[in-house]
Amino acid sequence: MQSLDTNSPRYVPGYDGVAKLLHWLVVLLIAAQFVIGWTMPDIHKGTVPDGLIAWHLGVGAALVAVVVLRIVWRVTHRPAPAPVSPFFSAVSHITHGLLYLALVIVPVLGWANASSRGWTVKLFGVLPYPALSPVGSSVGHAMGDIHGILAWVLLVLIGLHVAGALFHRLVLKDGVLQRMLP
Ligand code: HEM
Ligand code: HEM
């Protein structure tokens, strides 16, 4: 979809190129994590992390790095506020805040679970991340279950967020969706 002409009355200054790139990279990596997380084999004591499980850990390591970059960029580069009503502004702030929270908590719980299984999470298969939980830890094990449950919560938040974006585009017909498009 084309950006609006900057002279159009519906034009709203949006996110910078880096913020857009990081937003859509996170969308891509999360989509991959859901597909891999739901199709990889069940994990038991002694499971070797190869095949799809290795992919889930590898894509997860990249996601953690991109989320950190995204948060650092967001804190240092504030976007112009969207010109929406106070009600929509409050709803979007709450949803975005919860999305950021889930973007941190869900991956960290998966990482802690990997650590408790004695698996090292590595960026691009080379740069090892520190262990977040001791090997064999029952807390780390429980974090795996919570990881799976909170992934559903994240999915619901994404659903609300996408519904909001489409509501802006199709019902309010304002320029909010364009703010995050190339
Ligand atoms: C937002 C990103 C992520 C999503 C959406 C996601 C999604 C999932 C899903 C759907 C499952 C299967 C849960 C089940 O069937 O019970 C799963 C399991 C798992 N994920 Fe993730 N994941 C994410 C990030 C990560 C990261 C960053 C890591 C580690 C670096 C990780 C490690 C694991 C592990 C170890 C399991 C197995 C847990 C168990 O069975 O005890 N995940 N993930
Ligand atoms: C994995 C899925 C997604 C996640 C985790 C996510 C997360 C976020 C977050 C945290 C923000 C707030 C940005 C900030 O102000 O710092 C945001 C903004 C935005 N997202 Fe997403 N998003 C996802 C998918 C989508 C999709 C599929 C669309 C389009 C249909 C979309 C459209 C937008 C738009 C238009 C904004 C800017 C809203 C505004 O200007 O206030 N997002 N997204």
Side-chain angles (χ1 to χ4, degrees):
M1 201 179 297
Q2 285 286 307
S3 302
L4 282 181
D5 183 332
T6 47
N7 295 318
S8 157
R10 280 167 55 227
Y11 175 76
V12 178
Y15 291 82
D16 61 68
V18 176
K20 289 177 187 174
L21 183 77
L22 294 174
H23 176 272
W24 292 107
L25 201 53
V26 165
V27 174
L28 208 72
L29 294 173
I30 289 196
Q33 284 302 71
F34 274 113
V35 173
I36 302 169
W38 282 328
T39 48
M40 67 191 185
D42 281 348
I43 298 169
H44 305 285
K45 210 167 189 258
T47 298
V48 177
D50 54 14
L52 286 176
I53 301 173
W55 273 100
H56 194 71
L57 299 178
V59 173
L63 179 68
V64 167
V66 175
V67 166
V68 169
L69 279 180
R70 178 155 184 209
I71 291 174
V72 170
W73 191 264
R74 176 62 168 83
V75 171
T76 53
H77 300 75
R78 292 173 71 88
V84 293
S85 70
F87 173 76
F88 282 116
S89 172
V91 170
S92 71
H93 275 107
I94 293 168
T95 318
H96 292 167
L98 290 174
L99 276 169
Y100 276 123
L101 205 64
L103 283 181
V104 172
I105 293 178
V106 173
V108 163
L109 291 176
W111 174 1
N113 177 261
S115 304
S116 76
R117 295 179 186 280
W119 301 343
T120 305
V121 176
K122 289 188 196 151
L123 185 62
F124 305 130
V126 282
L127 186 74
Y129 287 2
L132 291 188
S133 162
V135 178
S137 148
S138 58
V139 176
H141 187 78
M143 284 181 182
D145 296 339
I146 305 173
H147 174 72
I149 295 165
L150 289 189
W152 280 103
V153 175
L154 173 61
L155 194 62
V156 170
L157 288 171
I158 293 171
L160 289 174
H161 177 63
V162 172
L166 295 179
F167 184 72
H168 277 287
R169 177 74 192 144
L170 303 174
V171 179
L172 301 177
K173 297 190 184 351
D174 57 19
V176 167
L177 178 55
Q178 278 86 344
R179 281 160 55 84
M180 202 44 109
L181 297 180

